[in-house]
Amino acid sequence: MTRALWREILGPSADPSRSFLDNGGDSFHAVLLSTRLYETTGAEVDYLDVLTSDDLSALLALTDDRTTA
């Protein structure tokens, strides 16, 4: 789900090996992604964590760590 949201918010050409910011993300998109992650997975990921994610795999790991059971 995180991968799909990443592409939905950043666009289909978003490179998963680049950071959120390098893919054209900004604070508005980070808040949107953070909110959508919570709504779909229960993971409480702060928008600042989204902004500073090194790449999609880092965000995936963070989401996995913060998903509520």
Side-chain angles (χ1 to χ4, degrees), residues 7-51:
R7 286 203 171 97
E8 178 183 319
I9 291 169
L10 293 174
S13 62
D15 182 350
S17 67
R18 296 178 63 200
S19 74
F20 184 81
L21 291 173
D22 286 345
N23 274 297
D26 56 24
S27 59
F28 173 78
H29 290 105
V31 169
L32 181 60
L33 181 55
S34 176
T35 302
R36 296 288 308 278
L37 284 170
Y38 180 73
E39 292 172 347
T40 59
T41 69
E44 294 186 22
V45 178
D46 190 81
Y47 82 96
L48 292 173
D49 292 328
V50 173
L51 281 174

